[in-house]
Amino acid sequence: MAAMLDYDRLTEDEKLEHFMERINRGEKIEADDWMPDDYRISLIRLISMHGISEIMGALPEKEWVPKAPSLHRKLAIMAKVQDEMGHGQLLLRVAEDLMAPLGKNREDIMQDLFSGKLKFHNVFHMSAPTWGDAGMIAWLVDGAAIISQSMMLDSSYGPYARALKRICAEEVFHAQHGESIILAMAEGTPEQRDMLQDSLNRWWTSLIMFFGPKSAKETGNSNADKNIMYKIRAKTNEELRQEFFTKYIPRIWSLGLTIPDETIRFDEQTQMWIYKDVDWNEFKQIVTGNGPESHNRLDLRRRSYDNNAWVRDALAAKRAI
Amino acid sequence: MSEAKNEFYNVYEVFSKKTDKSPFQHQFSLLAPNADMALIMAKENFFRREQVADIWVVKRENIRGLSQSEREMLKRLDKDYRETKGYGYLKKKWREYNQEQFTEQHILGGKGDAQ
Amino acid sequence: MTTPSEKGALIELLYQLADDDFILAYRGSEWLGLAPHIEEDVAFSSINQDMMGHANLYYRLLEQLGEGKADEIAHLRAPSKFRNAVLLEEVNGPGTYLEKPDYDWAFAVVRNYFYSVHKQIRLDSLRHSDFEPLAEAARKIMTEQYYHLMHWELWFKQLVTSTDEAKSRMNAAIEKVWRDFGGVLTLGPAYAEMVKANFIDDENVLKQRWMKRIEAVFNETGLPFSGEPRMERGNGRKGEHTPDLTQALATLSEVYATNPQTGW
Ligand SMILES: [Fe+2]
Ligand SMILES: [Fe+2]
């Protein structure tokens, strides 16, 4: 049995040691547990970025909500985009509780987004000019997201793991919604198939980028490694990307679609996919707010937040009647 | 102004029961300016698909939880005099009298819902 | 059932019910991602999905009455064939949902709240409709409608009793909605036939119920009640509409209209 601990009497070093023991035993850390600043900061960075990406990720698909080509599709995509807003809600709540001891709340998250301090996923900076993109996003962008989210289901941070559990349950619906759109188009007219292929061509590079650069050396950024040490996440960027290839490339090919990379192949010897790497400087440009739609999407978000400030002020000032 | 904004973002904890018979369970939390708003938002934020029979919202600041030190104290010593496992030898004893030991169900009279 | 003129009146009524929900749900869906608060965004979206689902139920009834496939009915009719009230097609504010949407939350709350009150009253009447499939649909819809009304009533009451800024925005929105809400309350030219066949209650009875309920809420929250709402920009029940509807339908059918024959 573990010795009883009076936390208030421990030194910082003892607290850290106890903390790492808990992590290594596979215990879950809760919001008001003692945690090293390093752990807290890593979590805030990861989860606020994840949360705000869900919110910003609603915007490209939302463009297709009113335009969806049947009553059934209209309802399904509305529900799907709503889920993404809901994922943002769950994740921002987790991030906000971590930030509370630093005197910050959702207002600060929004302001950090508007000032460019808080970044969101590269894919949501890209344009989605056809209905094919609505399908492609739900099929492959969500597909990529499912892979990276489900590897954190056992995250050492309890509230994050619980949020992800709710999220992943809904992702199953998203995946099927995406597959259904894609299959209808793949089995449709030549125009529909072309639309699908164009869309795949448009999204392929972004999908490779989605998982992030290969190793610490390329970016001078070792967040991923630290997150593995703290058991926040379980796999590296490249491991996730390879999983994505294994899961989706055979399906893409089975529909007769062409991946816009002539070099891509599975190497039996290394048991790895060989592929054309992307320009990671371009990636950096995109996530720092210089993607094709970065400006427009941030403007939508900022405008709605500012236009509605009076609503929040009104309710903040009143007691419930 | 920014003070007023902080008044808008209150944390509410959301609890629900799945069916009439089930106990309340914590689900998640949300931000809302007051309890009425928290309630209408809770329904769509957490129960879009799941079945739900009732919902509570509680302002987090009204919950007194344990501190970490206090939680550590919960890891208590064995007290077998409180538990059935302290009475494992009874089975063998009753055998000596050609009797079976009562199961929990027998003891409770098989009347279902025990308190 | 029914004589040809009764059937005509029934079809008119179903188009009104379907188009009201369809167009307002569309306007609501434009708000997705843009609501004042993330939690509210999620809640609002459920309401819009429900409403579009209700429209879908009515379109299916029309399909059964030989009006064509539900998707065709929803996506391919000319604006003059739509029977929704003009107020419900009005844009959410300056800008579009894709660019510079300066949407007005006060207008969203007032329009949705007043509409919810009316919808509740209308469903209460339709529950006893002599056209049984409609009565059955109404009973299904009512359970969801209960929460919509609760949602919008809460927003309405809280905002009209809060800050001066909120009050003045809400008052402006009430005035704006009042100018055209008469168009929601009317049943249009086939009204006498609908009532005679017992499809729905007299529009004057429904209107009085609505006014009584709204007046009570106005009294409770200290708002001045200014008599009957007007119908200034035309009667949608007669197919009179604004360019806002033309734009809405172009958006709604943009993809479907490229090829209605294929599967999507
Ligand atoms: Fe998501
Ligand atoms: Fe998703």
Side-chain angles (χ1 to χ4, degrees):
Chain A
M1 206 188 96
M4 289 191 288
L5 281 173
D6 187 347
Y7 252 81
D8 309 327
R9 279 195 249 145
L10 294 183
T11 67
E12 290 295 294
D13 281 351
E14 285 167 333
K15 284 180 186 168
L16 180 61
E17 192 184 330
H18 178 66
F19 174 86
M20 284 312 297
E21 274 169 19
R22 292 185 64 197
I23 295 263
N24 290 327
R25 271 201 303 271
E27 282 180 34
K28 300 297 174 207
I29 307 300
E30 292 299 323
D32 51 357
D33 285 352
W34 184 90
M35 60 184 83
D37 290 345
D38 203 27
Y39 183 73
R40 183 183 299 278
I41 301 299
S42 298
L43 284 173
I44 291 175
R45 186 185 294 128
L46 174 74
I47 301 169
S48 58
M49 194 273 193
H50 186 180
I52 210 69
S53 295
E54 301 276 358
I55 302 288
M56 296 306 290
L59 295 175
E61 273 179 292
K62 176 250 168 98
E63 294 173 10
W64 292 98
V65 164
K67 299 179 180 180
S70 70
L71 289 162
H72 174 76
R73 291 275 187 242
K74 281 180 165 68
L75 286 167
I77 192 171
M78 226 192 286
K80 199 268 187 189
V81 177
Q82 175 195 37
D83 283 349
E84 303 300 3
M85 291 300 289
H87 297 172
Q89 191 276 339
L90 296 168
L91 294 163
L92 291 188
R93 279 302 310 121
V94 175
E96 287 152 11
D97 284 347
L98 284 160
M99 296 165 116
L102 311 176
K104 292 183 164 193
N105 70 5
R106 188 173 299 172
E107 176 68 23
D108 300 280
I109 294 184
M110 290 303 158
Q111 296 310 330
D112 284 354
L113 171 70
F114 302 148
S115 72
K117 212 171 122 192
L118 177 57
K119 316 250 183 298
F120 57 98
H121 267 304
N122 69 295
V123 280
F124 304 126
H125 294 258
M126 309 310 285
S127 47
T130 73
W131 173 247
D133 298 313
M136 203 55 72
I137 292 173
W139 186 36
L140 294 184
V141 174
D142 277 59
I146 290 164
I147 287 173
S148 73
Q149 290 176 137
S150 54
M151 72 124 175
M152 293 186 288
L153 278 170
D154 196 32
S155 169
S156 63
Y157 189 56
Y160 192 36
R162 289 195 293 274
L164 288 170
K165 198 175 159 209
R166 280 183 164 272
I167 290 171
C168 286
E170 296 184 338
E171 293 296 355
V172 177
F173 157 71
H174 298 183
Q176 291 174 355
H177 159 79
E179 286 172 12
S180 162
I181 295 176
I182 289 303
L183 286 169
M185 293 180 76
E187 292 168 0
T189 62
E191 289 78 17
Q192 284 173 302
R193 289 187 63 84
D194 287 350
M195 198 187 262
L196 203 54
Q197 181 64 55
D198 284 349
S199 173
L200 179 62
N201 297 349
R202 223 176 352 262
W203 285 91
W204 187 251
T205 306
S206 300
L207 285 163
I208 305 237
M209 289 176 175
F210 179 88
F211 297 98
K214 232 176 227 168
S215 69
K217 272 179 291 173
E218 283 171 80
T219 50
N221 171 339
S222 56
N223 288 333
D225 303 337
K226 195 184 291 168
N227 290 343
I228 290 175
M229 175 188 87
Y230 281 133
K231 295 201 162 69
I232 296 170
R233 61 184 284 172
K235 292 171 190 164
T236 67
N237 291 348
E238 187 58 23
E239 283 167 338
L240 295 173
R241 193 167 16 242
Q242 291 287 330
E243 254 179 59
F244 175 78
F245 289 151
T246 302
K247 192 166 166 190
Y248 285 100
I249 288 177
R251 303 209 137 203
I252 294 171
W253 281 338
S254 78
L255 297 180
L257 293 167
T258 309
I259 292 169
D261 171 0
E262 327 70 69
T263 66
I264 201 154
R265 68 182 175 84
F266 188 70
D267 185 62
E268 291 291 343
Q269 218 164 23
T270 56
Q271 290 291 298
M272 298 274 273
W273 290 88
I274 312 287
Y275 62 98
K276 191 166 70 205
D277 205 6
V278 298
D279 175 359
W280 290 102
N281 277 321
E282 190 191 328
F283 172 77
K284 213 176 252 176
Q285 281 299 306
I286 291 168
V287 293
T288 51
N290 300 306
E293 289 293 326
S294 314
H295 189 78
N296 188 25
R297 302 239 167 89
L298 266 177
D299 180 69
L300 285 175
R301 191 81 229 138
R302 186 189 294 113
R303 190 177 287 271
S304 74
Y305 196 72
D306 292 350
N307 283 347
N308 292 314
W310 70 271
V311 179
R312 293 185 298 276
D313 286 345
L315 297 196
K318 84 181 306 297
R319 288 165 293 121
I321 54 173
Chain B
M1 181 95 162
S2 71
E3 207 175 293
K5 273 189 183 139
N6 288 339
E7 280 297 305
F8 181 85
Y9 289 131
N10 294 297
V11 180
Y12 283 84
E13 297 292 348
V14 179
F15 301 81
S16 74
K17 35 194 279 176
K18 211 183 180 75
T19 66
D20 290 344
K21 286 185 178 173
S22 44
F24 270 91
Q25 212 177 25
H26 181 246
Q27 292 299 342
F28 219 81
S29 68
L30 54 72
L31 297 186
N34 53 61
D36 289 332
M37 282 283 171
L39 197 59
I40 57 164
M41 289 170 189
K43 180 173 173 287
E44 300 311 326
N45 275 270
F46 307 122
F47 311 104
R48 292 195 291 282
R49 295 187 178 80
E50 298 94 290
Q51 187 192 352
V52 62
D54 201 359
I55 305 172
W56 284 348
V57 291
V58 184
K59 202 171 183 182
R60 182 184 280 172
E61 64 184 36
N62 293 332
I63 297 176
R64 165 64 166 94
L66 296 179
S67 71
Q68 189 164 10
S69 296
E70 289 165 339
R71 278 199 292 274
E72 294 286 341
M73 305 300 172
L74 291 177
K75 295 170 182 167
R76 60 173 172 241
L77 296 168
D78 267 359
K79 290 192 169 71
D80 66 4
Y81 60 85
R82 284 185 188 277
E83 316 266 349
T84 53
K85 66 183 175 188
Y87 297 102
Y89 70 97
L90 288 176
K91 188 174 184 169
K92 207 173 138 206
K93 273 276 164 215
W94 280 116
R95 286 254 166 88
E96 292 168 18
Y97 298 93
N98 284 323
Q99 297 286 318
E100 288 298 317
Q101 189 189 6
F102 283 163
T103 63
E104 197 177 312
Q105 217 175 14
H106 282 124
I107 293 173
L108 296 174
K111 284 208 170 150
D113 291 350
Q115 290 304 305
Chain C
M1 61 176 215
T2 53
T3 66
S5 89
E6 278 174 358
K7 189 179 174 192
L10 176 62
I11 286 172
E12 279 295 316
L13 176 62
L14 287 171
Y15 273 123
Q16 292 180 20
L17 299 169
D19 292 343
D20 275 1
D21 274 343
F22 184 56
I23 294 298
L24 189 57
Y26 158 69
R27 287 299 175 203
S29 78
E30 291 186 307
W31 268 98
L32 191 49
L34 304 173
H37 182 45
I38 292 166
E39 279 81 348
E40 171 58 19
D41 216 307
V42 176
F44 188 9
S45 179
S46 283
I47 293 177
N48 296 316
Q49 287 165 49
D50 290 348
M51 280 203 292
M52 194 163 286
H54 302 166
N56 196 12
L57 282 175
Y58 296 129
Y59 286 137
R60 306 243 164 242
L61 291 181
L62 284 161
E63 184 175 315
Q64 285 158 22
L65 292 169
E67 289 292 292
K69 271 170 40 196
D71 273 323
E72 283 169 17
I73 299 173
H75 292 93
L76 297 182
R77 272 178 301 151
S80 64
K81 299 280 185 221
F82 271 73
R83 292 291 179 263
N84 61 284
V86 166
L87 176 72
L88 307 182
E89 73 205 31
E90 183 160 357
V91 292
N92 294 310
T96 72
Y97 79 95
L98 296 168
E99 227 177 323
K100 301 193 184 8
D102 288 327
Y103 286 179
D104 179 0
W105 186 248
F107 180 53
V109 170
V110 175
R111 172 160 69 173
N112 275 291
Y113 175 49
F114 286 7
Y115 178 71
S116 275
V117 171
H118 173 66
K119 186 168 165 178
Q120 181 83 19
I121 291 166
R122 194 165 63 182
L123 287 169
D124 244 328
S125 170
L126 292 170
R127 225 150 43 105
H128 310 293
S129 175
D130 268 7
F131 184 55
E132 185 46 36
L134 178 55
E136 199 188 303
R139 288 191 286 267
K140 259 190 231 161
I141 292 169
M142 280 197 86
T143 51
E144 289 182 341
Q145 171 58 23
Y146 180 87
Y147 282 99
H148 302 179
L149 183 53
M150 176 178 161
H151 177 107
W152 293 120
E153 186 155 283
L154 185 67
W155 269 103
F156 183 85
K157 286 184 176 177
Q158 290 210 356
L159 285 178
V160 294
T161 54
S162 61
T163 57
D164 288 344
E165 183 179 6
K167 283 181 196 165
S168 83
R169 284 173 183 271
M170 289 295 282
N171 276 318
I174 291 169
E175 232 172 84
K176 177 171 162 177
V177 169
W178 214 260
R179 285 200 284 272
D180 286 303
F181 205 80
V184 177
L185 297 174
T186 183
L187 290 167
Y191 130 82
E193 201 70 46
M194 293 173 195
V195 177
K196 208 172 77 195
N198 272 326
F199 295 138
I200 189 167
D201 283 312
D202 192 310
E203 68 176 9
N204 284 310
V205 173
L206 302 181
K207 190 200 284 175
Q208 290 312 317
R209 283 181 197 153
W210 183 84
M211 299 221 328
K212 218 175 126 193
R213 170 104 189 227
I214 296 292
E215 192 173 7
V217 172
F218 275 34
N219 288 337
E220 183 192 328
T221 51
L223 291 166
F225 187 74
S226 49
E228 234 175 81
R230 302 183 295 279
M231 185 163 57
E232 288 186 357
R233 283 177 305 167
N235 189 348
R237 313 303 191 203
K238 290 187 192 160
E240 295 166 0
H241 292 289
T242 63
D244 287 358
L245 182 67
T246 313
Q247 165 272 320
L249 297 178
T251 304
L252 283 160
S253 63
E254 187 184 300
V255 182
Y256 183 78
T258 59
N259 188 346
Q261 269 65 273
T262 187
W264 286 99

